[in-house]
Amino acid sequence: MTREPDPDQLTLGAPAWDDGEHRVLTGSCSWTEKTLVQQADWYPRRTMSAEERLRFYVSQFPLTEVDSTYYAPPAEQQARLWAQRTPAGFRFDVKAYSLLTGHPTRPQSLWKDIREQLPPEVAKKRNVYDHHLQPGALKEAWRRFEAALRPLHDTGRLGAILFQYPRWFVPKRENRAQIEALRERLPDYRVAVEFRSPMWLAEQRDRERTLRMLEEHGLTHVAVDAPEVSGLPCVLAVTDPGLFIVRFHGRSDSTWNDTSRSAAERFRYLYDTAELEALAPPLAEHAREARETHLLMNNCYRDYSVRNAAQLRDLLASFLAR
């Protein structure tokens, strides 16, 4: 029987900054992306176990994002293993299950007993949505999602749960009500919200209303750096003094809307030094307003995200030390 190593004996990657009051972390939105593992030379070996790969990643960065939980709900045992295999101070930001954010969801990804409750005509669909579930089943889905992440939360490894809403989730009354309900649904967890519809933030009046709503409900606004064609403004704002998050999606206009490509191909963009240097001052300014800052590179093609995360870390370390 293989004995798990003492997590607190593992090496933890350096933060960009930690003065006891403010902690600035950089990392990649995935440590398991296929092109990073199979096509890049960042990991010491191509044939590493999942545990070895995570351990190496942790030695380089103190932060990552779990993307797999968007496609299928997390298992409590997996969350427990992540907690056991990482040292204190490491953070997992976890993406919310697609069913909980109004995205199309494969019926096969549902819990077996909940899937079996679907009407036959719904179960045969390629995708289902939250309104296809009975109210009791949807409530149970929220409960199970919350319970599965408890091991990360209880050990201090859970950074935030990221609710990324689709383009068609626009600012109207029922959608605002969904956002406002997040704190009640997940009272113990830090919750972050990323909008993919520009309508929430593009105009000054809408921007002020959106940020005020997030602040009043203790929710973290997720700022995005995205291609111009997305229409998404990069609005840096701290709505929760505990956490400031920015996700970097690259700046590839030609692939942003091309859903025929893999996620790695869509976000295939390597920030150059000048682009990162231009980002450092405003990021540092807002990082001083929050106890913890998470800067996550989502340009997960080969080693692009880890290269840029390391560059941004070093730039911010130098900038904040002035």
Side-chain angles (χ1 to χ4, degrees):
M1 181 177 178
T2 303
R3 183 178 180 181
E4 291 282 351
D6 181 350
D8 293 324
Q9 297 300 313
L10 300 177
T11 302
L12 180 63
W17 185 251
D18 188 349
D19 65 358
E21 295 183 8
H22 309 284
R23 190 167 181 248
V24 181
L25 313 180
T26 67
S28 169
C29 284
S30 176
W31 76 95
T32 60
E33 202 283 319
K34 186 176 179 180
T35 61
L36 172 63
V37 173
Q38 298 181 1
Q39 300 178 29
D41 295 324
W42 189 70
Y43 283 111
R45 302 186 313 279
R46 295 281 174 86
T47 57
M48 298 175 75
S49 68
E51 179 183 350
E52 290 171 332
R53 198 174 293 119
L54 177 58
R55 193 181 307 169
F56 177 80
Y57 178 91
V58 167
S59 74
Q60 306 300 306
F61 299 105
L63 168 71
T64 193
E65 181 179 290
V66 181
D67 182 63
S68 60
T69 49
Y70 169 81
Y71 299 99
E76 184 176 354
Q77 175 59 18
Q78 183 62 68
R80 184 174 295 107
L81 287 174
W82 287 332
Q84 292 173 350
R85 293 172 176 176
T86 52
F90 189 81
R91 297 287 187 270
F92 291 92
D93 285 352
V94 177
K95 210 167 182 182
Y97 183 34
S98 59
L99 183 77
L100 309 182
T101 54
H103 284 90
T105 298
R106 293 178 298 106
Q108 296 81 1
S109 72
L110 292 168
W111 296 269
K112 183 175 183 294
D113 59 329
I114 290 180
R115 183 173 67 247
E116 290 174 345
Q117 295 177 35
L118 294 172
E121 65 276 13
V122 172
K124 293 177 182 178
K125 291 179 178 291
R126 180 179 179 181
N127 293 303
V128 297
Y129 294 84
D130 57 359
H131 65 266
H132 288 126
L133 273 65
Q134 295 297 321
L138 184 59
K139 182 178 181 180
E140 178 63 11
W142 277 94
R143 188 198 69 77
R144 292 183 188 184
F145 182 82
E146 186 275 341
L149 298 177
R150 184 61 60 176
L152 287 177
H153 172 268
D154 290 349
T155 57
R157 269 73 167 175
L158 182 61
I161 301 177
L162 170 67
F163 284 80
Q164 183 189 92
Y165 289 96
R167 292 189 306 274
W168 56 87
F169 188 86
V170 297
K172 56 183 181 179
R173 181 178 299 176
E174 55 263 44
N175 290 344
R176 288 192 179 93
Q178 284 193 45
I179 301 295
E180 293 168 353
L182 289 173
R183 175 52 55 217
E184 182 179 349
R185 291 183 184 279
L186 300 166
D188 295 340
Y189 297 165
R190 185 160 282 138
V191 175
V193 177
E194 177 180 333
F195 298 108
R196 285 293 175 89
S197 167
M199 295 173 66
W200 291 91
L201 297 162
E203 300 296 330
Q204 184 67 26
R205 185 175 64 177
D206 292 327
R207 181 181 306 181
E208 291 175 354
R209 182 176 183 181
T210 296
L211 296 177
R212 183 170 60 250
M213 173 187 66
L214 296 175
E215 185 174 5
E216 289 175 351
H217 291 85
L219 305 172
T220 296
H221 161 64
V222 178
V224 298
D225 187 88
E228 185 177 356
V229 72
S230 72
L232 297 170
C234 185
V235 177
L236 301 180
V238 177
T239 57
D240 172 7
L243 183 62
F244 171 52
I245 298 180
V246 185
R247 299 177 78 236
F248 300 84
H249 301 303
R251 297 175 178 177
S252 175
D253 284 333
S254 62
T255 60
W256 177 257
N257 292 313
D258 189 352
T259 56
S260 67
R261 296 172 181 259
S262 68
E265 288 288 347
R266 286 184 61 214
F267 301 118
R268 180 180 177 176
Y269 185 89
L270 185 67
Y271 288 87
D272 63 32
T273 301
E275 289 171 324
L276 295 177
E277 287 176 341
L279 287 164
L283 290 175
E285 177 184 350
H286 286 83
R288 292 186 176 101
E289 300 176 23
R291 289 189 293 275
E292 195 158 289
T293 293
H294 292 184
L295 305 174
L296 285 153
M297 288 291 171
N298 193 38
N299 53 336
C300 297
Y301 175 77
R302 296 189 178 178
D303 64 349
Y304 288 10
S305 63
V306 290
R307 284 167 61 185
N308 280 159
Q311 288 176 284
L312 186 59
R313 175 195 62 208
D314 296 344
L315 281 169
L316 284 169
S318 176
F319 194 89
L320 287 164
R322 297 174 188 174

